[in-house]
Amino acid sequence: MTSVPNVTLNNDVTMPQLGFGVFQVPDEETTAAVATALDAGYRSIDTAAVYGNERGVGKALAASGIPREELFVTTKLWNDDQGRDKAAAAFDASLDRLGLDHVDLYLIHWPTPARDLYRQTYRELERILAGGRTRAIGVSNFTAAHLEQLIADTGVVPAVNQVELHPGLQQKELRAFHAEHGIATEAWSPLAQGAVLGDEVIADIAQAHGATPAQVVLRWHLQIGNIVIPKSVTPDRIRQNLDVFGFDLTDTELTALAGLDRDLRTGPDPDTFN
Ligand code: NDP
C-alpha cells in the first residue's frame, strides 16, 4: 500500500502530505467515498461543518476499524459560528457529528474580515487545543495581511493555512510568507476542480511520465512542499490520486509548470467573502 510522507507542523504534530477532500459530496455518498479512500490507503480526511457531511465521514471512519491514531481528521468552523461562544458550541457539534472525541486539525474556514471576529475566534480555538480536543489548529483562506494581524494580536502562529492553490493560482508570495513563519501550506482545489487538467503543458509532462494530468498536478504540489487534499467520488480517480509517489518531475518540468500561474480563482476572494 502507498505510504504517504508526513509533514511536521509547527507544534510537532505530523500530518500526511496527501489527504482526501469531501467538499460538495452529499452526506449519503460521503461514507462510500471515504471508505474507498481509506481502503486505497488515504489516512487524512478533510471535511467542514458547512459541507454537511461530517456524519458521513464519521460513519466511514468508524466502520473502517482503522486505529484512531493512524487517522488524521480535519474539520472547519463555519463563518456564522465565529465568535467565542458560538465557536465553542460549533466545535462540540462537529465532534458529535463525526463521532470522535478529538480531531487532528481544526481550522477557521474563512477570515470574513467584515465581521472582524477571527482573532477572538482563534482564541477559542486555542482553548480547544489546550483542552486536547484537537491536536492542532489553523486557518483557511487567510491572506498574509490577515495572518499578520492574527499573529500580532494572539502571538500564536497557526499550524496550517489552507488556501486555494493549483497551477493556475500558485500563491507564490503567500507560500513565501508561510515558509518564513513556519506555517504549513495546504492546497484546496489542488486540481482547480478539473480546470487545469486540459492544459497542454500538463498533458505533455503527463505523457512523458506515463501518468495522468491529475497525477502530474498532485506531484507538482508535493514537490513544492504543499499538503494536498484532492476530492473525487470516482473510485478509479480516488486510487489514481494517491498513486503519485512513483515518479519525480524534473527541474525543467517544474519550471514549465511554474509558468502556468495566471490568477485563476475557482472560489471566492478571501478579502471580500463574508
Ligand atoms: P479538486 O481540485 O480536488 O477537484 C475535484 C474535481 O476534480 C472533481 O470534479 C473530481 O471529479 C475531479 N477529479 C478528481 N480527481 C480527478 C482525476 N484523477 N482526473 C480527473 N478529474 C479528477 O477540488 P475541490 O474543490 O473538491 O478541492 C479539494 C478539497 O479541498 C475539497 O474537497 C475540500 O476538502 C477542500 N476545499 C476547501 C475549501 C476551503 O475553503 N477551505 C474550499 C474548497 C475545497 P469526481 O469527483 O467526479 O471524480
Side-chain angles (χ1 to χ4, degrees), residues 197-234:
L197 299 180
D199 188 282
E200 260 180 45
V201 170
I202 295 173
D204 287 349
I205 297 172
Q207 199 176 15
H209 289 279
T212 67
Q215 288 174 317
V216 166
V217 172
L218 294 171
R219 189 68 220 160
W220 169 80
H221 281 287
L222 296 168
Q223 284 185 224
I224 66 170
N226 297 339
I227 298 167
V228 271
I229 43 170
K231 168 265 176 185
S232 176
V233 292
T234 313

Side-chain angles (χ1 to χ4, degrees), residues 19-25 42 45-48 50-51 74 76 78 107-110 139-141 162-166 186-197 212-215 218 221 228-241 266-268 273:
F20 185 66
V22 293
F23 177 43
Q24 292 176 323
V25 185
Y42 293 79
I45 310 294
D46 182 88
T47 183
V50 76
Y51 300 171
T74 301
K76 313 183 194 87
W78 187 237
L107 304 176
I108 297 179
H109 207 143
W110 289 87
V139 295
S140 177
N141 298 302
Q162 183 185 114
V163 293
E164 179 172 355
L165 204 171
H166 43 71
E186 184 171 18
W188 67 251
S189 292
L191 306 172
Q193 299 193 341
V196 295
L197 299 180
T212 67
Q215 288 174 317
L218 294 171
H221 281 287
V228 271
I229 43 170
K231 168 265 176 185
S232 176
V233 292
T234 313
D236 282 352
R237 291 174 172 175
I238 293 173
R239 290 187 281 272
Q240 179 196 123
N241 293 346
T266 68
F273 186 64

Side-chain angles (χ1 to χ4, degrees), residues 9-21:
L9 305 180
N10 63 15
N11 67 346
D12 287 336
V13 164
T14 58
M15 171 172 186
Q17 198 183 358
L18 193 154
F20 185 66

Side-chain angles (χ1 to χ4, degrees), residues 62 96 114 157 213 237 251:
D96 186 55
V157 180
R237 291 174 172 175
D251 289 344

